[in-house]
Amino acid sequence: TEIYTLSLHDALPISARALFFVNGFDKVTTDLLAREASVSKATIYRYFDNMSDILQHVLEAEADVFRAEVLGDISSHPDLRTALTSFGRKFLSFLSEQDSVKFTCLIHEVARDYPQVGRIFYTAAFEAVCTAVSGLLAQGQETGELRGDFDPADVAEDLISLLKGFGTVRAQLGLTTRPYKDIDQHVARGVDTILIAYRASDGPALA
């Protein structure tokens, strides 16, 4: 029974996610979800309070995937440039996936009426990633590679913004199916910009 309960608790948000993509959040009802998941409405309410509760579970699961796919083991790289480049490649590769583009569009759509949706995903995904990148930059300060007069969190946000550029915007607007033509070059430009701008004058060469 416990195994079945855990499986069903996970399966309902998966079914809901698929329905959100097709119908939009407002048009997905418990009746529709019950049919899609082949369960009763009573079963749904046994595990979730309402559709907003289910949406939150979908967002949290998506954020878990986002962090796992984007971060990986970047902190294991001893070289700062290698670590940031590894992060950038994973980050843009994830954002380039059509499923990621569709999900981001869905979040923007839902967040207009449900501000907590955007807040949940931003905190669980982007803030978590920014914190990890901040840690890498702080290590660069500690080793003397980078200047010590900047807030790593601010520069981490700058790097993430440089990497994203307009690629995801074009994809979300349906202007392209390929947000980044050459991910490696795009990442190299962004990482170089940050490392050169914040390199310690007496530190080791980063170029």
Side-chain angles (χ1 to χ4, degrees), residues 26 44-45 51 64 74 79 101 117-118 120 127 139 144 164 168-169 183 203 207:
D26 286 333
I44 293 176
Y45 286 121
M51 290 304 298
D64 287 343
I74 58 173
D79 177 68
V101 173
V117 166
I120 289 169
E127 278 193 356
Q139 290 175 34
K164 286 186 66 178
T168 53
V169 175
I183 286 178

Side-chain angles (χ1 to χ4, degrees), residues 11-192:
L12 285 171
I14 291 173
S15 297
R17 183 183 188 277
L19 290 173
F20 291 152
F21 272 143
V22 175
N23 302 280
F25 176 67
D26 286 333
K27 292 187 173 66
V28 178
T29 64
T30 51
D31 287 317
L32 183 58
L33 177 57
R35 288 197 300 272
E36 177 72 15
S38 299
V39 298
S40 67
K41 288 175 62 175
T43 298
I44 293 176
Y45 286 121
R46 190 180 306 158
Y47 304 112
F48 302 99
D49 294 333
N50 47 46
M51 290 304 298
S52 293
D53 188 25
I54 294 175
L55 177 60
Q56 180 169 337
H57 279 75
V58 171
L59 290 174
E60 290 171 349
E62 201 72 16
D64 287 343
V65 173
F66 181 96
R67 291 193 301 271
E69 291 290 334
V70 168
L71 293 178
D73 60 351
I74 58 173
S75 61
S76 68
H77 295 294
D79 177 68
L80 180 60
R81 178 187 295 279
T82 300
L84 292 176
T85 299
S86 175
F87 157 73
R89 287 172 177 160
K90 292 177 181 178
F91 183 55
L92 293 193
S93 294
F94 184 83
L95 293 183
S96 295
E97 295 176 4
Q98 289 303 301
D99 196 53
S100 298
V101 173
K102 288 173 60 181
F103 194 83
T104 302
C105 290
L106 175 65
I107 291 176
H108 288 173
E109 175 188 335
V110 175
R112 287 196 296 268
D113 296 318
Y114 302 88
Q116 73 274 18
V117 166
R119 192 176 304 114
I120 289 169
F121 188 74
Y122 179 80
T123 299
F126 281 96
E127 278 193 356
V129 168
C130 191
T131 297
V133 176
S134 297
L136 290 175
L137 295 171
Q139 290 175 34
Q141 289 179 317
E142 293 169 2
T143 60
E145 297 172 272
L146 302 177
R147 302 197 320 256
D149 61 348
F150 67 85
D151 184 342
D154 291 338
V155 177
E157 187 171 334
D158 291 343
L159 174 59
I160 291 170
S161 298
L162 278 171
L163 293 174
K164 286 186 66 178
F166 285 165
T168 53
V169 175
R170 287 191 291 268
Q172 289 162 16
L173 292 175
L175 303 179
T176 181
T177 57
R178 189 182 178 194
Y180 307 99
K181 294 180 180 178
D182 189 322
I183 286 178
D184 286 347
Q185 287 188 11
H186 191 85
V187 169
R189 286 198 304 271
V191 171
D192 283 348

